[in-house]
């Protein structure tokens, strides 16, 4: 059984649905039901007795883009764990790119970041290269960057606080840095943070890191370790946007790619291309009356 939930532009919805159904049927995907959810009015649910998720998603992409969607094999429920990437997911910036601007190197650093997030560069190598370019930068630039540049994504706090209220543990796991992630987590309501640490000496960045790095393997391992604490049968939600989030997204019950790079979107079973982070609540079927605004 496949269950697809979809948020799309309401105009011409019935005509687009008919075309999508026809494409699904040509691909051998039968539709048992397609209707708007009474308890979450902007969300349509499509039920299929078949198991070809790829063909179903292809039809949704062909006829409804831009969309927010989730395809699962069971009725979505409130997860026990929410684990999320930070940069370009919970916040609207890439912290190291913005910090690079204070060193006069934003364009150079951002180009490396983009290639790493697209999956074109080894993440660890790209991280060490970017951090090395910041050697000698005063730590006061971090505080100034955080205050002046870093802003939460729309809906981020509502998503985190609503899930927490409903009994979900919240973890922020980032290939970025505790200098940024700790205050962001406190602002948004995350209970635990996993991230990298700049090496600092005499009030300046040395161009190195303290300890190991948080890469895609660590993100997935963090998810699995947190899930082990919750016991068998627990469900989890993960959100991310880049190639280094893919193993985490694939390991989650609901892996939702948020305005993501193509490789991350393809790997996830959920996606938000159209709305803000409150779309995740709608896709899970959490009524707006339960949201923490």
């Amino acid at each position: 059984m496949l269950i697809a939930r979809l948020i799309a532009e309401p105009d011409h919805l019935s005509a687009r649905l008919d075309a999508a159904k026809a494409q699904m049927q040509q691909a051998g995907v039968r539709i048992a039901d397609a209707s708007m959810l009474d308890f979450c009015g902007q969300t349509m649910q499509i039920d299929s007795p078949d198991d070809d998720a790829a063909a179903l998603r292809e039809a949704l992409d062909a006829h409804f883009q831009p969309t927010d969607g989730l395809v699962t094999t069971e009725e979505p429920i409130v997860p026990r764990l929410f684990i999320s990437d930070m940069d370009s997911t919970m916040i609207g910036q890439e912290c190291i790119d913005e910090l690079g601007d204070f060193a006069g190197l934003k364009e150079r650093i951002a180009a490396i970041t983009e290639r790493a997030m697209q999956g074109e560069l080894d993440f660890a190598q790209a991280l060490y290269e970017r951090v090395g370019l910041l050697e000698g930068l005063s730590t006061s630039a971090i505080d100034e960057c955080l205050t002046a540049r870093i802003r939460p994504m729309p809906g981020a706090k509502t998503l985190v606080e609503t899930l927490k209220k409903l009994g979900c543990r919240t973890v922020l796991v980032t290939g970025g840095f505790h200098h940024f992630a700790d205050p962001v987590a406190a602002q948004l309501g995350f209970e635990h943070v996993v991230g990298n640490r700049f090496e600092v000496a005499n009030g300046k960045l040395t161009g190195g890191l303290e300890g190991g790095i948080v890469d895609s393997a660590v993100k997935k391992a963090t998810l699995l370790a947190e899930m082990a604490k919750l016991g068998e049968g627990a469900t989890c939600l993960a959100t991310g946007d880049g190639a280094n989030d893919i193993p985490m997204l694939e390991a989650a019950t609901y892996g939702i790619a948020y305005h993501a790079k193509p490789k991350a979107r393809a790997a996830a079973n959920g996606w938000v291309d159209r709305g803000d982070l409150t779309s995740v609540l709608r896709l899970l079927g959490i009524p707006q009356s339960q949201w923490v605004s």
Side-chain angles (χ1 to χ4, degrees):
M1 184 76 180
L2 285 177
I3 295 172
R5 287 188 174 170
L6 188 72
I7 305 169
E9 294 292 340
D11 294 346
H12 311 298
L13 187 62
S14 60
R16 293 184 181 186
L17 180 59
D18 289 342
K21 281 182 177 179
Q23 181 172 330
M24 291 177 202
Q25 289 168 356
Q26 288 179 353
V29 178
R30 295 167 294 170
I31 302 300
D33 185 51
S35 58
M36 303 302 291
L37 296 180
D38 292 337
F39 55 86
C40 201
Q42 298 182 26
T43 310
M44 180 172 64
Q45 180 162 311
I46 300 171
D47 299 330
S48 170
D50 300 309
D51 61 358
D52 193 343
L56 192 154
R57 282 187 62 170
E58 187 176 340
L60 297 180
D61 280 346
H63 297 284
F64 290 102
Q65 282 284 54
T67 62
D68 307 334
L70 176 65
V71 179
T72 70
T73 56
E74 296 180 358
E75 193 86 12
I77 60 174
V78 176
R80 294 283 308 283
L81 170 69
F82 172 43
I83 183 166
S84 182
D85 172 50
M86 181 177 71
D87 293 34
S88 299
T89 302
M90 286 293 119
I91 61 174
Q93 300 75 36
E94 292 286 336
C95 290
I96 196 166
D97 296 358
E98 297 303 321
L99 191 58
D101 202 14
F102 288 79
L105 295 168
K106 182 175 182 178
E107 186 174 332
R108 183 175 174 185
I109 289 176
I112 300 170
T113 300
E114 176 66 16
R115 292 187 64 197
M117 293 303 99
Q118 292 282 5
E120 297 173 2
L121 295 176
D122 175 74
F123 178 82
Q125 179 183 344
L127 181 65
Y128 285 124
E129 182 178 356
R130 288 174 291 165
V131 172
L133 291 171
L134 297 176
E135 181 180 0
L137 188 67
S138 171
T139 54
S140 64
I142 297 175
D143 298 329
E144 186 177 350
C145 182
L146 182 63
T147 301
R149 303 285 184 91
I150 306 307
R151 298 290 182 267
M153 281 289 191
K157 188 172 179 63
T158 295
L159 173 60
V160 177
E161 294 290 1
T162 300
L163 291 173
K164 264 176 46 178
K165 184 187 79 168
L166 297 174
C168 182
R169 175 163 168 76
T170 56
V171 177
L172 187 65
V173 57
T174 175
F177 304 92
H178 275 281
H179 288 83
F180 293 98
D182 290 346
V184 166
Q187 180 182 6
L188 298 181
F190 282 95
E191 298 162 283
H192 181 57
V193 181
V194 178
N196 297 303
R197 294 189 185 277
F198 288 118
E199 184 180 68
V200 176
N202 301 317
K204 296 183 178 182
L205 304 186
T206 68
L209 296 171
E210 287 186 5
I213 70 167
V214 177
D215 59 8
S216 61
V218 172
K219 288 189 173 191
K220 178 181 178 180
T222 301
L223 182 151
L224 295 177
E226 292 284 347
M227 287 296 289
K229 298 174 188 176
L230 296 174
E232 188 175 351
T235 56
C236 61
L237 163 70
T239 55
D241 73 294
N244 64 322
D245 297 313
I246 288 175
M248 178 179 73
L249 294 171
E250 291 177 331
T253 314
Y254 316 119
I256 298 185
Y258 183 74
H259 292 274
K261 308 302 182 189
K263 289 181 180 179
R265 187 184 188 278
N269 66 341
W271 61 96
V272 174
D273 298 336
R274 175 177 175 269
D276 64 25
L277 283 164
T278 60
S279 288
V280 177
L281 297 173
R282 298 186 190 281
L283 293 172
L284 293 174
I286 299 173
Q288 193 165 350
S289 60
Q290 295 184 21
W291 296 4
V292 177
S293 59

